[in-house]
Amino acid sequence: MPAISLTYLYLLPVLLIVIWYWRRHARHERDSLAALKAATEAGMLEPPTLHPEINQQTCIGCKSCVVACPEQDAHVVLGMIGKKARLVGPSDCIGHGACKTACPVGAITLVFGTARRGVDIPVVKPNFETDVPGVFIAGELGGMGLIRNAVEQGRQAMRSIGKLIQEGHSNQTDVAIVGAGPAGFASTLAAKEAGLSYVTIEQEELGGTVAHFPRRKLVMTQPADLPIVGKMKFKEVQKEDLIDYWRNIEQQTQIKVNYNERVDAVEPSSRGVGFTVKTNKATYDARTVLIAIGRRGSPRQLGVPGEELSKVAYRLIDAEQYRDQHVLVVGGGDSALEAATSIAAEPGTNVTLSYRSGAFNRAKLKNREKVDAAVADGRLRVLFSSNVKSIQEDSVNIAVGEKVGKLKNDFVIVSAGGILPTAFLKTIGINVETKWGTE
């Protein structure tokens, strides 16, 4: 066989591989550009939590971050544009942080907020201690909304508290844990595992923010290690199943949580060391305090006449209770859209969704698609650029633009987010910083 024929024989597979690679790369770039364009047109460019900032000068385009992102199967979060990694679906990034770990050249920094939208974050040291010695923060309040991250922070914070407790002994309770969401629950287990004396105080029920989700909502999480118990293997689970799992653990481990008890103040102890924790039911003397509450704080109210009526609620628990009723849902985030579409799916309901802006810029695509489908089916009415003016027993006055009209109404659900517990933190002496795209 001529030498030139052998050369072609060897080069052909290489050429085919190169062609395949470039076609695949071009397809990936088209998909990434389309995702970025869709996010831009929808105004979905503000990440809700911790997210990657990619140094385009350092990035080598290896795609390790894209492959590592756990959200990629459900959303196009990271993509490749111009042979560089880009955050193309900012609003779908929920702060896993796997991209930073996967990057081989350190091109990724995890930051809070953006240049346009600041995020208030309490000042916390690497060991989760605040600038008030002996007061620690873990979980969502510190900017970590992911269940797995909150659980891990609860474990690590309790480890730090254990080291601090070893430095001195007293007859005070070792730690007062405020909140029984994922971080507070994990830290309670960790306290028992470490043999620390503790009191866990929860103003509502087990689960924290998770307990506020609508019925049967799918909770996306990642495997996490719970103290005493071991691996929590859920990847996708309904809210009720996750909370039932936690309740079973609570019973099996015999940890104690004081439910329906609200913390009103955390003050320096008269002993000169530790803290006095005052609640609506009791007063506790604790060596340390771990704050593991959510960022939602108190629900944001409308501030209109009639809002005090019993028909007004600030979260949806069970859509079935609104069958055959006229319901107004107020808000434009994911919780509002989920509430409106869930209720609209119930027989006999007449549902209106009111939002002060002209588009759902803060909601995920899947929820916006559900709203569009419900509107197309005639099950839901959407009023953009609208504001509730007053609430009556059987109606609601609402302004759409300059025109005020009256809607027949049996129930109002306000899903306008919450007021961060910044004031509570400041009364303790904890500094809160506004992050504008910084670590």
Side-chain angles (χ1 to χ4, degrees), residues 172-212:
Q172 295 170 296
T173 298
D174 290 330
V175 56
I177 302 167
V178 184
F185 184 66
S187 60
T188 301
L189 288 168
K192 178 160 187 174
E193 185 177 56
L196 301 175
S197 59
Y198 68 91
V199 55
T200 299
I201 306 160
E202 168 55 53
Q203 67 177 353
E204 294 183 335
E205 57 187 309
L206 178 64
T209 301
V210 176
H212 291 183

Side-chain angles (χ1 to χ4, degrees), residues 76-124:
V76 182
V77 177
L78 290 166
M80 299 295 295
I81 297 176
K83 300 181 182 180
K84 301 285 186 177
R86 289 277 299 275
L87 183 61
V88 297
S91 294
D92 289 320
C93 178
I94 59 175
H96 287 276
C99 54
K100 175 181 171 66
T101 304
C103 181
V105 294
I108 295 178
T109 303
L110 298 179
V111 302
F112 293 101
T114 66
R116 294 176 53 192
R117 176 176 170 267
V119 176
D120 288 337
I121 301 291
V123 177
V124 178

Side-chain angles (χ1 to χ4, degrees), residues 328-366:
L328 173 68
V329 179
V330 182
D334 287 312
S335 61
L337 273 60
E338 289 170 359
T341 52
S342 296
I343 298 171
E346 295 297 324
T349 55
N350 187 305
V351 185
T352 301
L353 176 58
S354 168
Y355 187 40
R356 62 184 179 181
S357 296
F360 297 121
N361 295 330
R362 298 184 295 113
K364 291 184 175 64
L365 176 62
K366 65 178 182 180

Side-chain angles (χ1 to χ4, degrees), residues 3-24:
I4 191 167
S5 298
L6 287 173
T7 301
Y8 283 136
L9 183 63
Y10 289 123
L11 285 178
L12 183 59
V14 176
L15 181 61
L16 291 174
I17 291 172
V18 170
I19 292 172
W20 172 84
Y21 171 82
W22 284 110
R23 291 184 64 181
R24 184 168 179 268

Side-chain angles (χ1 to χ4, degrees), residues 383-403:
L383 298 178
F384 287 116
S385 304
S386 61
N387 290 281
V388 175
K389 293 300 182 182
S390 62
I391 302 171
Q392 292 79 40
E393 288 285 354
D394 59 357
S395 64
V396 172
N397 288 332
I398 188 166
V400 181
E402 300 297 325
K403 185 178 180 180

